[in-house]
Amino acid sequence: NRWGSICDDYWDEVASEIACKQMGFRGHISYSTSWVTNTNFFWLDDVRCDGNETSITSCSSLPWGNENCWSGEGILLQCNPCNTSVDEFGQFGQFGQLIGSNYLPLPDNTTLT
């Protein structure tokens, strides 16, 4: 398994919501782009979601492992881990950098180019 990030190109609120729910959270609270990652390897780039997907891997993107990103294009995502509203929950959401093999395993039958 190789760790990698998701590039921030085209990342938005919709992708953030899908990513948090995919990881088992209630939803997203906030996200930040241009986050400096601890790797120069990105699994996904140009991720575009329309809101009907149940996982980031269902959103459109460049093929897995094809990217044109640098370490300053990562995503920092804050997810809401409980069933309270953002106003009630405040600043105690869970932050996490989206990293490849931990949360987004490479799909079966995927060929990296």
Side-chain angles (χ1 to χ4, degrees):
N1 290 339
R2 181 172 183 186
W3 289 82
S5 295
I6 296 177
C7 193
D8 66 2
D9 297 341
Y10 303 108
W11 193 264
D12 61 11
E13 298 277 332
V14 175
S16 299
E17 190 73 10
I18 291 167
C20 284
K21 287 181 177 179
Q22 179 183 353
M23 293 185 288
F25 294 101
R26 180 173 181 245
H28 91 287
I29 295 172
S30 66
Y31 72 96
S32 177
T33 58
S34 302
W35 187 258
V36 177
T37 67
N38 59 359
T39 178
N40 280 327
F41 182 77
F42 292 83
W43 276 121
L44 291 174
D45 188 12
D46 294 352
V47 175
R48 297 178 193 186
C49 306
D50 63 24
N52 295 316
E53 302 88 354
T54 56
S55 73
I56 287 298
T57 57
S58 298
C59 300
S60 68
S61 69
L62 292 177
W64 278 77
N66 288 357
E67 46 88 8
N68 59 358
C69 306
W70 65 284
S71 64
E73 291 186 272
I75 299 161
L76 181 68
L77 183 60
Q78 184 182 23
C79 297
N80 187 352
C82 66
N83 289 326
T84 61
S85 71
V86 174
D87 291 338
E88 293 169 355
F89 197 72
Q91 63 186 359
F92 300 105
Q94 300 295 308
F95 281 99
Q97 179 182 342
L98 288 179
I99 303 175
S101 62
N102 189 22
Y103 297 124
L104 300 172
L106 193 63
D108 292 338
N109 303 321
T110 300
T111 304
L112 298 178
T113 57

